[in-house]
Each structure stands twice: as structure tokens, then as C-alpha cells.
Amino acid sequence: MSEFAGQTVLVSGATRGIGRAIAGKFLQAGAEVIGIYAGNTDAAASFAEEFKEYSSQLSLLRCDITKEAEVGGLFAMIEEKFQRLDVLVNNAGIRKDALLALMQSEQWQQVIDTNLTGTFYMAKQAVLLMLQHKYGRIINITSPVASLGFPGQANYAASKAGQIALTKTLAKEVAKKKITVNCVSPGFIATDFINDLGKEQLTAYKKLVPMNRFGTAEEVADAVLFLAGHRAAYITGTVLDVSGGL
Ligand code: NDP
């Protein structure tokens, strides 16, 4: 499978969870992958080891997407080394749950800074590069809580709803330039992201899912690769749910 041979793909949060599956599938599909992560070097080393047969296609970098200067430096490197960017997957995200009445300002700000402002910094730089070649695919990983809401996640839900609004707006701005912008919206996916939840809570959440199971990172990655590919050329400004029917 080499659908993405010759393409340059940037994935944020590439070394754990959903991003790891996305980056892995792009490598297997022939892409040059730039994977970024925040600071977990053990996860980065384990990712590099798992995909060592693709090491010539892989650049792994530490880059904090909440820092505009770091994102600027990342894109300067991409332009110099690859001259182009075909696909951006804004996958990095965090949650810091608390009921709104008890939520600290830092909990609000950190989640908005990472999930929404980080998406803005990355998308802005990506679009500037993609416009040069009049081609691009941007896929933002949002969440069903953006429209459903979820107790304890006002910050997270607001950041994810903001991502959808950004996606729909940017999609209209760049549609004529053959750049598509879409969201994938995973339901409950078994990753570190939900590891802190207790067994009882996880069982209760599973009951909310019509398919009665959590999804896998690979199932989310398949949807991302579909939207990044040529078969999705006429799809833009949409949200593709991968949620087992939530
Ligand atoms: P994980 O917690 O497993 O992984 C998060 C990744 O994001 C890590 O690689 C982490 O880097 C990276 N990251 C976090 N903050 C930053 C930052 N400031 N700069 C750069 N990278 C950063 O999460 P998932 O894989 O589960 O989630 C991926 C996306 O999917 C998120 O946007 C999340 O909101 C969304 N999602 C997840 C769901 C789930 O059930 N898992 C459900 C719905 C949506 P490092 O390893 O260095 O810490």
C-alpha cells in the first residue's frame, strides 16, 4: 500500500494513542511522516522502535503546539527539508476535567491553549505552505462532546467545538485552492487519554455506546487516512464520527 508515497504528512501527538496509529498507518502507506510530541521521550523512543523499518521516512520531534514560536520553527524546518506539506493531522489534545463551578482558570486555559489555539497555530502555518502548491489536507481530531456536552468537560467541549468552527470556516476560505479541511470525531477510544477513569466509570461509559464497546486507535486512523486521500477530494468542512453510534 503506497497511496501516500511522495507525500509529506505532519501528525501532532504522534507517539501515543490515536496519533501513534495515524502516524503508523501513514508510514505504512509510504508517506514521509513528521511526528511531533510534547515531552514523553519514552513514548517517542518506543514509537521509533516499533516503526524502525520505516526510519528513513520518519522525523520525530519535540514541539509544544501551545508555543507559536516552536510551531514557527517546526514549519521552517519542514519548508527547508521537504519544501511542501500535503497533510496535517491536528491530533494532539489534553483534558483537565472539573465541574465548571470548581474549574480553575489554569484548567480552562491549558485545555483551550492546547486543543484550540494549538490547532490554530498549526493550521495557519500549514495553510501558508499548502497554498504554495495549491494542494492540502487538514484533519482536526475533535470529539462528540463538542455537540453533546459532558459534565466536567466545559473546557474540553468548548475547545473541541471551537475546532469544528475553525474547520468549517477554514474549509470555506481555502476550498478553491484544493485544500480540504475536515474533522474526525472519535468516541471513547482505549488510549492513555481515558486511563485515569475508574473501572466503574469506564463500564458506565461503555453502556452509553450503542455498539457496546470502545473503539480502537486504528479505527480512527482509518477514517483519517480516508479523508487525507484522493477519494475524499470533494469532502470538506465536515465532521466524520467514529464513535460506535454515540
Ligand atoms: P493521548 O493522551 O494518548 O496522547 C496525546 C498526545 O498528544 C501525546 O502524544 C502528547 O505528547 C501529545 N500532546 C499533548 N499536548 C501537546 C502539546 N502541547 N504539544 C504537542 N503535543 C502534545 O491522547 P489520545 O490519543 O487518546 O487523543 C488524541 C486526540 O483524540 C486528542 O485530541 C483527544 O482530544 C481526541 N479524542 C480522544 C478520545 C479518546 O477517547 N481517547 C475521544 C475523543 C477525542 P506526549 O506523549 O509527549 O505527552
Side-chain angles (χ1 to χ4, degrees):
M1 189 169 79
S2 57
E3 184 185 356
F4 294 95
Q7 294 203 17
T8 305
V9 175
L10 171 59
V11 182
S12 68
T15 51
R16 285 198 286 130
I18 294 171
R20 186 177 178 119
I22 294 168
K25 280 189 189 274
F26 273 117
L27 285 171
Q28 288 160 346
E32 295 280 345
V33 173
I34 304 142
I36 64 164
Y37 61 100
N40 186 333
T41 48
D42 288 347
S46 121
F47 177 80
E49 175 61 24
E50 184 181 346
F51 291 96
K52 64 180 173 214
E53 68 180 286
Y54 302 98
S55 59
S56 62
Q57 292 162 239
L58 177 63
S59 308
L60 270 186
L61 301 162
R62 200 168 162 161
C63 172
D64 183 349
I65 59 164
T66 68
K67 306 259 168 27
E68 191 169 17
E70 286 192 28
V71 173
L74 168 71
F75 275 82
M77 181 284 289
I78 293 172
E79 194 163 8
E80 193 185 322
K81 188 168 170 193
F82 301 98
Q83 289 84 51
R84 60 182 294 134
L85 182 68
D86 299 284
V87 181
L88 165 65
V89 185
N90 275 312
N91 163 77
I94 59 168
R95 39 174 275 265
K96 298 219 176 268
D97 298 353
L99 295 174
L100 187 136
L102 304 173
M103 189 177 286
Q104 304 297 314
S105 303
E106 295 75 33
Q107 289 174 298
W108 172 267
Q109 203 57 52
Q110 285 167 4
V111 170
I112 298 290
D113 286 352
T114 306
N115 299 358
L116 183 55
T117 310
T119 297
F120 160 65
Y121 291 151
M122 296 279 281
K124 178 179 174 178
Q125 294 284 342
V127 158
L128 290 170
L129 201 47
M130 289 170 175
L131 283 171
Q132 294 177 22
H133 298 278
K134 297 193 175 51
Y135 179 82
R137 298 273 191 271
I138 298 176
I139 295 132
N140 299 320
I141 308 299
T142 182
S143 163
V145 305
S147 55
L148 299 175
F150 208 80
Q153 294 199 323
N155 50 357
Y156 183 73
S159 72
K160 293 295 177 182
Q163 264 187 326
I164 295 175
L166 181 155
T167 298
K168 288 183 179 291
T169 304
L170 181 57
K172 288 191 164 68
E173 290 178 2
V174 295
K176 285 197 182 109
K177 305 293 183 188
K178 293 192 182 155
I179 300 169
T180 67
V181 192
N182 290 291
C183 286
V184 167
S185 182
F188 294 106
I189 309 297
T191 69
D192 294 346
F193 202 74
I194 56 172
N195 263 354
D196 61 323
L197 303 173
K199 211 171 169 190
E200 268 176 33
Q201 221 172 349
L202 288 173
T203 307
Y205 289 164
K206 208 169 278 182
K207 286 196 183 131
L208 297 175
V209 184
M211 285 192 183
N212 198 31
R213 69 169 176 90
F214 291 156
T216 65
E218 285 69 26
E219 287 170 319
V220 181
D222 283 335
V224 170
L225 265 77
F226 166 68
L227 287 173
H230 292 291
R231 284 168 298 167
Y234 200 56
I235 301 175
T236 197
T238 64
V239 180
L240 177 54
D241 275 22
V242 184
S243 68
L246 270 181

